Amino acid sequence: MSGQNISYEKRSRRSGIRIMRRLIGLVRPLLPVMLLAVALGTISYLCAIFLTILAGYGLLHILRVSVPGLMSFGSAASEAGFLSGTVLSTLLKPELGTLFVLLILLAVLRGILHYGEQYCNHFIAFKLLAIIRHKVFAALRKLCPAKLEGRDKGNLISVITSDIELLEVFYAHTISPVAIAALTSLVMVLFIGRFSVWAGLLALAGYLAVGAAIPLYFGSRGGEKGMEFRSGFGELNSFLLDSLRGLDETIQYRQGETRKKQMEERSEALAGMQKELNRLEAAQRSVTNLAILLFSFAMLFLMLCLKQAGLADVTAVLIASVAMMGSFGPVTALASLSNNLNQTLASGERVLSILEEAPQVEEVEGMDSVSFSGAEAEDVNFSYEEEQILKDYSIRIPKGKVVGIHGASGSGKSTLLKLLMRFWEVQSGQVKLSGRDVRGINTSDLRSMEAYVTQETVLFHDSIANNIAVGKPGAAREEIMEAAEKASIHDFILTLPNGYDTQVRELGDTLSGGERQRIGIARAFLHDAPFLLLDEPTSNLDSLNEGIILKSLKEGKGDKTVLLVSHRRSTLNLADVVYEMDNGRIS
C-alpha cells in the first residue's frame, strides 16, 4: 500500500439515548429472559420495601395504636391491582405472630428473587457479549483490508477487548434496573397515594428527582469526559503496542527514558480524566443522598401537616413516611449507574461505529460460478486519497503463463495485486478474471481461484502445521508436508523440537523473515488455486533459498498462472514475460 492510509467515515457522537436504544435493540433475541429479570427484580425490591412497612405495622401493634380503616384499605389496594385482597388482608393483620412469619418469608423471598434477577441479567450480558464479539469480528472482516489499512490497531484492540467487556455493565446492571425502578416506583406511588394524593405526588417527585433528574444532569456533565477517557485508553494501548514492537530500536538508540516519559505523561493525563470522573461521581452521590433525606423529611412533614388538618391519622403518618424512606433503593441504583454509564455509552458508541460502518468493498454472492481462464486490467485508475497510484493501467495475464512485473517500491505493484484480489475497488476501468469484472464474481469463487503471498507473512499462535493449513483448512498432514517441501521449509521444520507440531508462539522471534515467508509460500501451494499472486515472495531469502523456491514454483506450477512482482531482477528469471512498472504505468 506504500504506507498510505485509506480514509474512513467519521461520525459525530450520537446522544446517549440513541446509543442506549441501539444497544437495547440487540436484546431482542433474549427478551423473554429480560422480562423475567424485570419481574423478579421488581418483586424482590417490593419484598425489601414491605419488610420495612410491615415492621412499621408491627410497631403500631406494639404501641397499641388503633388502625382504623385498615381492612378497607386492603380492599382498596386490592382494587388497585398490585396485591389481591385476600393476601393483603392477611398481610396487614396486626397479630405479631403473623407479622413475624411474613417478615421472615419476605426476607427469604428477597434473597431468592434478587439472585434470580442477577442470574438472568448476567446470563443476558455474557450471552450478548459473545454475540457482539461475533458481530464485531464479522464487521472487521468485511471492512478489511480497505477500511482497516493504516487504522490505529491499539484502538481496535481496545474496542474488541475492554470496550465490549464494559458493555456488561449496560446489559447486566442498566437495562433491567431502569425497568425495575419504574415499576417499583409506580407501585409505591399508588401505595403511598392511598393515604393522600399529595403524598403520592411527593413520592413521584422524589423518585423522578433521584432516579432521573440528578443522573441526567451529572451524566450530561460527564458524557464527553467519558468518551475522552475511552479514546485516551485506546491511544495508550496503541502507544504500548508501538513500544513493545520497537523495543530493539528503543534500546539501540537509547530512547528508553524518552519512551518512559511519554508513557508517564499519557498515563497521568488518563489518570487526570479518571479523577475528574470520580469527582463527578462523588458529587452525584452526595447530591443523591441529600435529595433522599430532603424528600424523606418532606414526606414526614407533609403527613404531620395532614394529621394536624385532620386528613390523616397516626397510621398514615408512620406508614407513608416509612414507605418513602425505604423505597429509594431502585432509583438509587439508577443514580449510581450514571458515571459508569458515561464510559459504558462511550464504549457502546465505539462498538456501534464499527458495527455500522459500511465496508468499502461489498462481498458478492448469488452470481454464476466461473472457472479461471486468465486475468487482465483495462485502463485502471486508482488513488489512495489524493495520491494517484495507477493511471490508465492495462495488463493481460494469460492462463498458464508466469508474468513478472519489475519496479521500484511505491510504483504500484502491490496495489495491482490487491485490486486483483478485490481488496479495493478501482476508481475507473476494470479488473477482470476469466473475462468477467471481479465486481461480478462471487467473493468465495474469487478467493478459491487466487492464492496471494504478501511481503510480510503473518503467523498465528498455533502449530507450524496449522499455520500452513490456513491455506486449506482440514488438510491432511501429508498435504501439509508436501506443500512445505515445495516451499523449501520442510527440512527446517523437522529440526524443531516438535516438528510440525511446534507452537509458533514458543519460537518468538527465532523464526527469521525468510522462514516466515516460506511458510506463507507453503500456504499458497497448499491452497492450490489456479492463479498465484506473489508479492516479493523471496525478498527475505538468500540467493540459495530463492533459487530453490523459484525452482519449485517452476516445476510445481503445472497449468497454474503466476503473477510475480519484485524489485529484484533475479526473482523474475522465472517469468515468461516481464513488464516494467514506473509510477503506475506499464512499459
Side-chain angles (χ1 to χ4, degrees):
M1 181 174 160
S2 307
Q4 301 301 316
N5 291 346
I6 292 294
S7 62
Y8 53 91
E9 60 192 275
K10 300 180 184 295
R11 296 179 176 85
S12 59
R13 188 183 179 220
R14 70 195 96 192
S15 68
I17 297 298
R18 287 181 60 201
I19 296 172
M20 285 191 284
R21 187 165 58 239
R22 183 73 176 84
L23 291 174
I24 289 171
L26 298 174
V27 181
R28 285 190 189 124
L30 299 170
L31 188 58
V33 184
M34 178 62 71
L35 294 176
L36 178 60
V38 171
L40 292 176
T42 301
I43 299 171
S44 172
Y45 267 116
L46 288 175
C47 286
I49 294 168
F50 274 92
L51 273 171
T52 308
I53 293 172
L54 283 177
Y57 278 116
L59 180 61
L60 288 173
H61 184 279
I62 292 172
L63 296 176
R64 301 189 179 280
V65 175
S66 61
V67 190
L70 183 59
M71 300 310 295
S72 63
F73 167 72
S75 299
S78 173
E79 292 171 7
F82 58 87
L83 283 173
S84 70
T86 303
V87 173
L88 191 60
S89 62
T90 303
L91 182 71
L92 299 181
K93 281 181 180 178
E95 287 81 1
L96 284 178
T98 303
L99 286 174
F100 183 72
V101 171
L102 286 173
L103 287 172
I104 294 176
L105 179 61
L106 290 178
V108 172
L109 279 175
R110 161 65 174 165
I112 294 173
L113 294 172
H114 183 67
Y115 174 83
E117 177 220 340
Q118 291 297 305
Y119 181 88
C120 290
N121 283 333
H122 285 88
F123 173 83
I124 292 168
F126 294 124
K127 190 77 173 176
L128 281 174
L129 292 190
I131 293 172
I132 291 171
R133 285 192 186 96
H134 176 78
K135 288 179 177 290
V136 167
F137 277 107
L140 290 175
R141 186 182 64 80
K142 290 181 179 179
L143 294 175
C144 182
K147 283 292 189 76
L148 299 186
E149 194 89 33
R151 188 176 284 191
D152 188 344
K153 299 302 187 291
N155 250 312
L156 284 176
I157 291 172
S158 179
V159 170
I160 294 168
T161 55
S162 62
D163 282 335
I164 291 178
E165 199 65 34
L166 199 55
L167 292 182
E168 186 266 342
V169 174
F170 180 76
Y171 288 115
H173 306 291
T174 303
I175 300 179
S176 66
V178 170
I180 290 167
L183 289 173
T184 306
S185 298
L186 176 61
V187 172
M188 294 313 299
V189 166
L190 292 174
F191 179 83
I192 295 173
R194 300 306 298 177
F195 295 101
S196 167
V197 173
W198 293 108
L201 291 174
L202 179 61
L204 178 62
Y207 300 144
L208 289 175
V210 174
I214 294 174
L216 287 174
Y217 172 73
F218 282 93
S220 64
R221 291 182 61 191
E224 290 301 323
K225 187 64 68 176
M227 188 64 176
E228 187 180 347
F229 179 84
R230 296 311 305 171
S231 298
F233 187 80
E235 290 167 6
L236 181 61
N237 276 353
S238 295
F239 184 82
L240 288 171
L241 278 176
D242 286 342
S243 299
L244 290 172
R245 288 170 180 158
L247 277 177
D248 291 347
E249 288 76 8
T250 299
I251 294 170
Q252 177 183 350
Y253 297 108
R254 306 183 64 150
Q255 292 296 306
E257 287 300 319
T258 301
R259 299 293 291 186
K260 179 181 176 182
K261 184 178 179 181
Q262 291 173 338
M263 188 174 297
E264 287 176 351
E265 289 173 353
R266 290 169 182 264
S267 298
E268 287 172 3
L270 207 60
M273 285 184 267
Q274 183 65 65
K275 286 179 181 177
E276 182 63 29
L277 289 170
N278 289 341
R279 278 196 292 269
L280 282 172
E281 184 176 358
Q284 179 181 332
R285 193 178 297 117
S286 299
V287 171
T288 297
N289 290 335
L290 177 62
I292 291 172
L293 287 174
L294 289 176
F295 277 103
S296 297
F297 283 118
M299 178 62 74
L300 177 60
F301 180 75
L302 173 64
M303 296 308 296
L304 288 173
C305 289
L306 291 174
K307 183 179 182 301
Q308 288 292 105
L311 299 175
D313 56 16
V314 174
T315 298
V317 173
L318 179 62
I319 300 303
S321 300
V322 167
M324 186 68 176
M325 294 176 185
S327 60
F328 277 104
V331 289
T332 303
L334 293 187
S336 64
L337 286 174
S338 64
N339 281 287
N340 286 332
L341 195 58
N342 286 328
Q343 290 190 48
T344 302
L345 293 181
S347 295
E349 168 71 4
R350 285 153 58 87
V351 171
L352 291 174
S353 293
I354 288 179
L355 293 179
E356 295 170 356
E357 187 166 350
Q360 187 168 314
V361 178
E362 295 283 356
E363 293 195 358
V364 178
E365 56 185 12
M367 298 291 184
D368 293 335
S369 297
V370 61
S371 57
F372 183 78
S373 61
E376 60 184 311
E378 291 183 354
D379 302 320
V380 168
N381 286 283
F382 182 79
S383 301
Y384 293 124
E385 297 183 344
E386 301 301 321
E387 181 182 1
Q388 185 155 19
I389 305 300
L390 298 177
K391 183 176 181 181
D392 298 327
Y393 181 86
S394 297
I395 189 173
R396 186 170 175 271
I397 305 157
K399 181 179 179 180
K401 298 293 183 180
V402 179
V403 176
I405 299 179
H406 179 262
S409 297
S411 60
K413 305 186 305 297
S414 298
T415 299
L416 173 63
L417 299 187
K418 290 174 181 178
L419 290 173
L420 284 164
M421 289 292 296
R422 200 170 168 256
F423 286 167
W424 293 298
E425 303 278 28
V426 299
Q427 270 89 49
S428 64
Q430 286 184 308
V431 173
K432 296 180 179 180
L433 258 67
S434 305
R436 185 189 297 182
D437 194 308
V438 292
R439 289 169 290 194
I441 298 176
N442 293 325
T443 303
S444 58
D445 293 341
L446 194 65
R447 299 290 178 261
S448 297
M449 286 190 287
E450 298 175 323
Y452 179 37
V453 178
T454 62
Q455 296 181 40
E456 295 295 332
T457 300
V458 175
L459 299 182
F460 300 98
H461 287 180
D462 206 336
S463 67
I464 293 284
N466 288 340
N467 265 284
I468 296 175
V470 167
K472 183 181 178 182
R477 180 59 62 96
E478 293 74 17
E479 294 177 284
I480 294 171
M481 294 173 67
E482 182 182 351
E485 286 176 352
K486 288 182 179 179
S488 189
I489 191 71
H490 173 72
D491 291 339
F492 167 75
I493 294 172
L494 292 182
T495 67
L496 297 174
N498 296 308
Y500 280 86
D501 294 318
T502 301
Q503 297 293 306
V504 170
R505 64 173 173 267
E506 295 172 1
L507 299 173
D509 293 331
T510 58
L511 274 182
S512 68
E515 288 156 356
R516 291 172 180 267
Q517 202 159 28
R518 280 183 282 169
I519 290 175
I521 294 170
R523 284 175 181 167
F525 281 130
L526 184 61
H527 188 55
D528 199 27
F531 186 24
L532 292 177
L533 298 92
L534 308 177
D535 188 0
E536 303 281 5
T538 61
S539 60
N540 290 316
L541 303 178
D542 55 35
S543 57
L544 176 61
N545 281 312
E546 179 187 44
I548 292 172
I549 289 178
L550 293 178
K551 183 172 180 289
S552 296
L553 277 170
K554 188 170 184 178
E555 293 176 350
K557 82 176 190 67
D559 61 350
K560 294 185 188 304
T561 304
V562 180
L563 179 59
L564 177 62
V565 305
S566 179
H567 67 280
R568 289 162 60 169
R569 280 285 185 183
S570 59
T571 304
L572 298 171
N573 290 334
L574 172 69
D576 298 313
V577 59
V578 177
Y579 295 101
E580 289 289 336
M581 180 177 279
D582 182 27
N583 294 325
R585 292 180 179 271
I586 279 289
S587 61

